[in-house]
Amino acid sequence: MKIFPEKKYLIDLKNESSKTLSDLQKETLSDEQFIVKWNKIFIGKVSQNGFEIKLAKRIFGSFCVVKGKIENKNGMLEIQISKIYKLLLRILVLFLISGFVISLIRGEFETSLKIILLILGYRLLIIEFWFRMNSKKSMNELTKVIGIIKQEKNKAQHSI
């Protein structure tokens, strides 16, 4: 089991890549700008054959990052947790692990068992739950904007 989940998709689109990326560009605010109020769906970068975007929602909108490459009417998407949240979650795990080691040194085995259960619950409930909710929301919004006809989960291990 990976600590941080990710999803990969192969997609088919309604329009050609240039039209699709143009539509996505219209709904994407550049991540190099600082704007207090925005009316765009995404924040990120859109290039000639790919993109890297996140939802433009406050706090948890940036939890997942969607990376994509589009060629003709086909594309490949990869959804993963953003680097900032990975760093924060790793720090939290390190605190839990240090508590586990300290409880083992002190001989408090009941406390160390509670910490192990806390780490597992943290991974399954918090990380997986937020990732699934946010990635589903990202895919729904992306489907509306770029017109995804068909999506299938990609089992391949190559990265974008």
Side-chain angles (χ1 to χ4, degrees), residues 71-138:
E71 296 174 6
N72 298 328
K73 289 189 172 187
N74 299 320
M76 191 165 82
L77 299 177
E78 182 177 342
I79 305 174
Q80 51 189 225
I81 298 174
S82 70
K83 292 177 185 178
I84 293 170
Y85 282 97
K86 280 184 181 180
L87 178 66
L88 292 172
L89 295 171
R90 283 183 180 138
I91 290 170
L92 183 60
V93 168
L94 285 175
F95 280 129
L96 290 173
I97 290 173
S98 64
F100 173 73
V101 170
I102 290 171
S103 67
L104 282 180
I105 290 172
R106 288 183 166 181
E108 299 171 355
F109 298 110
E110 186 177 313
T111 305
S112 60
L113 180 62
K114 289 178 185 177
I115 292 174
I116 288 175
L117 293 174
L118 185 65
I119 291 172
L120 291 174
Y122 162 78
R123 163 58 178 93
L124 294 174
L125 295 177
I126 296 175
I127 295 176
E128 192 71 32
F129 175 73
W130 278 112
F131 178 76
R132 284 187 183 196
M133 281 186 46
N134 204 284
S135 64
K136 185 176 181 179
K137 177 78 172 160
S138 297

Side-chain angles (χ1 to χ4, degrees), residues 1 6 12 16 33 36 63 65 70 83 93 101 114 117 122 130 141 150-151 156:
M1 174 188 342
E6 61 182 39
D12 294 332
E16 292 292 323
Q33 298 175 343
V36 177
F63 189 75
V65 174
I70 296 176
K83 292 177 185 178
V93 168
V101 170
K114 289 178 185 177
L117 293 174
Y122 162 78
W130 278 112
E141 294 293 336
K150 180 180 128 184
Q151 67 185 22

Side-chain angles (χ1 to χ4, degrees), residues 7-29:
K7 292 181 181 180
K8 296 179 182 181
Y9 294 99
L10 295 173
I11 58 171
D12 294 332
L13 303 165
K14 290 179 188 176
N15 301 318
E16 292 292 323
S17 62
S18 58
K19 170 85 169 97
T20 299
L21 290 171
S22 171
D23 292 344
L24 184 59
Q25 182 68 42
K26 290 176 188 173
E27 293 297 331
T28 303
L29 180 68

